[in-house]
Amino acid sequence: MNRWSLFKQSWSIFWKNRTLWVFGLLAALGGGANINFRGGDTNQFANLPLGGREMLRQLFQSIDVNALIGIGVVIGIVTFLIATFARAGLYRMINAIEENQPLSVGAGLTAAGEKFLPLLAVRVLLALPTIVLSAVAAGSFLSIFADLTTEPGQSTNLFNFGNFGTLAGLGILLAIVTLLFGAISISAERAVVLDNLSIFAAIVRGWKYIWSKFEDYFTIGLIFLLVTIAFGILLVCALAPFLIASLGSMFSNLQPGVNSFVFNFNLLGPTAIAAVIISLLFGTFFTVFEVNVWTLAYRVWHQSDARASTSV
């Protein structure tokens, strides 16, 4: 397999088929972010400036953690459903492009509706280990800040550092599990959508392809890592003017002799709206490009396996 040709072909498909952008936008709306926690110098972390300890304590006491978690779960489920529907459409549409079939938004919506539930089942099953470990890691992370919910005179330490070792171990385990099941999902999702396999048969094929196509997985993944870094730098550069504008208005309110400030950010202001639009544009492009590359790779793997089985 020529891996670089997959990226060139994906770029061509992206620009020539703007119908894909609609589903790419939906998938980008359902995208997530990876949050990595890392412990540094605990002494410097605990010894905050005068007044900083109490400020953080009051901040954490004012947050309704349960409500925040509940809202996050609801938003996560909704975006996961949207992303699943959009990806089902993208897989079918890219496959149709490669087979020179007619392409339209309506056909993509129909195809996405047909394969939404099987794809959802595959994605949920493969996401469960990551979700469970993430929940355990989140509990360990929050326990580090348990002292922030107590009264100032009832705690000798600002933070509870006893769980940092557990959190570090969970972080390593979570990274390994996420990579493994993410790799399985690449082929499993396409198998259930493009080849009409059953849910568990698709997962078995995803597991099989990890090891039989390991070199392709590793090389394409490495290229994507470099592309992601470059893409992230471009996104930061694109968003920098809006961030600077927000910080400028914040620091302009500082007064001499006052060692505190209030951070105000208008979620419906022009700066926030422009930043969201730029992020969605970048997310749409990257999502369509990523789905393109792995779908083309899956087609090559499946076709080579089919030729090998017929030649035996």
Side-chain angles (χ1 to χ4, degrees):
M1 175 190 290
N2 188 335
R3 291 100 181 189
W4 279 112
S5 68
L6 294 178
F7 285 82
K8 294 178 182 178
Q9 188 177 354
S10 297
W11 177 266
S12 176
I13 290 174
F14 174 83
W15 285 111
K16 291 180 180 179
N17 300 275
R18 291 179 174 80
T19 306
L20 299 175
W21 298 7
V22 177
F23 291 84
L25 176 59
L26 290 175
L29 287 171
N34 295 322
I35 302 176
N36 297 315
F37 302 111
R38 181 179 62 186
D41 188 332
T42 58
N43 291 325
Q44 294 181 5
F45 192 37
N47 296 329
L48 297 176
L50 182 63
R53 296 161 67 94
E54 183 58 26
M55 181 182 70
L56 279 178
R57 195 184 304 277
Q58 293 179 5
L59 174 63
F60 273 79
Q61 286 179 331
S62 66
I63 296 175
D64 188 340
V65 177
N66 292 330
L68 194 62
I69 293 175
I71 293 172
V73 169
V74 172
I75 293 175
I77 291 174
V78 172
T79 55
F80 188 81
L81 293 175
I82 294 173
T84 300
F85 182 85
R87 283 181 171 272
L90 280 173
Y91 297 156
R92 279 291 189 91
M93 294 171 77
I94 294 169
N95 194 61
I97 291 171
E98 288 300 292
E99 295 181 355
N100 297 316
Q101 297 176 1
L103 190 68
S104 67
V105 174
L109 291 173
T110 301
E114 292 174 354
K115 289 299 178 180
F116 171 71
L117 290 179
L119 179 59
L120 178 63
V122 169
R123 297 193 78 199
V124 168
L125 286 174
L126 292 176
L128 279 178
T130 301
I131 293 173
V132 171
L133 283 176
S134 297
V136 174
S140 297
F141 179 75
L142 290 175
S143 67
I144 294 175
F145 297 90
D147 290 338
L148 288 173
T149 60
T150 63
E151 294 299 325
Q154 297 178 354
S155 176
T156 57
N157 297 318
L158 178 62
F159 299 101
N160 178 7
F161 296 107
N163 288 320
F164 260 119
T166 302
L167 184 61
L170 284 172
I172 295 173
L173 181 60
L174 180 60
I176 294 173
V177 169
T178 301
L179 286 174
L180 176 61
F181 284 88
I184 295 173
S185 69
I186 289 173
S187 295
E189 291 180 12
R190 288 155 179 84
V192 79
V193 173
L194 302 182
D195 298 324
N196 300 315
L197 292 186
S198 65
I199 296 168
F200 290 102
I203 294 175
V204 169
R205 177 175 289 181
W207 174 264
K208 171 188 172 183
Y209 277 4
I210 288 180
W211 310 112
S212 63
K213 315 296 180 183
F214 180 80
E215 185 178 352
D216 291 332
Y217 267 97
F218 181 80
T219 305
I220 295 173
L222 183 60
I223 295 174
F224 254 122
L225 176 61
L226 300 176
V227 171
T228 302
I229 293 173
F231 212 75
I233 293 173
L234 290 175
L235 179 59
V236 169
C237 292
L239 294 177
F242 304 101
L243 178 61
I244 293 173
S246 299
L247 292 177
S249 62
M250 179 181 68
F251 285 110
S252 64
N253 295 324
L254 290 177
Q255 299 178 2
V258 179
N259 61 355
S260 64
F261 63 87
V262 178
F263 179 72
N264 294 316
F265 186 74
N266 186 3
L267 292 176
L268 298 179
T271 299
I273 293 174
V276 169
I277 292 174
I278 290 177
S279 298
L280 285 177
L281 289 175
F282 273 76
T284 299
F285 165 76
F286 190 79
T287 300
V288 175
F289 187 69
E290 175 263 329
V291 171
N292 259 316
V293 171
W294 287 115
T295 302
L296 294 177
Y298 174 80
R299 283 175 53 87
V300 172
W301 297 335
H302 186 48
Q303 290 169 3
S304 64
D305 279 4
R307 286 193 297 268
S309 61
T310 56
S311 63
V312 174

